[in-house]
Amino acid sequence: MGLKKSGMFIVGGGLPKHHTCNANLMRNGADYAVYLNTGIEHEGSDAGAPPDEAVSWGKIRMTAKPVKIWAEASLILPLIVSQSFVKYHLENNQDCEQCRK
C-alpha cells in the first residue's frame, strides 16, 4: 500500500468488484477507475452501481475521473487491450519496420 497512485480496471461486478473497491478504500480511494460491464443502476446489482457511488463511499478519490463503459466485455476488452499495446508500441518504437508498412 505504499504506492503513490492506485487504479482499478474492473470487468464485471460482484465480489471481485466489491473487494477491489474496498482495498482502495483503505488507501483513501483509487486515483483511476474504469468499470466495464452491462449492469444498469436500476436493477440494484453491484455491477450496476455507478462510479459516483464508490466516490461517495471513499473508494474512488473525489479528484478522480472514473469511467463506466456499458458494453459486453468479451467484445470491448480485447479492443481496449489491443489499442493500449498499439499506443505504447508506437510511442516507444518510432523506427519499427512493421509500422512503416
Side-chain angles (χ1 to χ4, degrees):
M1 291 299 201
L3 299 175
K4 294 181 181 179
K5 299 272 186 181
S6 174
M8 302 185 292
F9 188 95
I10 300 174
V11 179
L15 194 61
K17 178 183 175 191
H18 179 72
H19 283 290
T20 303
C21 289
N22 281 348
N24 279 283
L25 175 64
M26 302 304 165
R27 60 171 314 279
N28 298 318
D31 298 288
Y32 310 98
V34 177
Y35 293 176
L36 172 59
N37 60 53
T38 57
I40 47 180
E41 190 173 354
H42 73 268
E43 68 184 13
S45 68
D46 186 37
D52 296 346
E53 184 175 337
V55 171
S56 71
W57 281 85
K59 297 175 182 180
I60 299 174
R61 291 181 187 254
M62 301 219 24
T63 57
K65 295 180 182 168
V67 176
K68 172 139 182 186
I69 303 169
W70 283 279
E72 172 54 42
S74 62
L75 297 172
I76 300 302
L77 186 61
L79 296 173
I80 292 171
V81 172
S82 68
Q83 290 307 299
S84 298
F85 283 114
V86 167
K87 181 179 179 186
Y88 175 83
H89 178 78
L90 294 176
E91 288 174 354
N92 295 293
N93 298 292
Q94 284 87 13
D95 54 345
C96 175
E97 292 293 325
Q98 294 293 325
C99 297
R100 290 188 207 159
K101 294 181 180 180

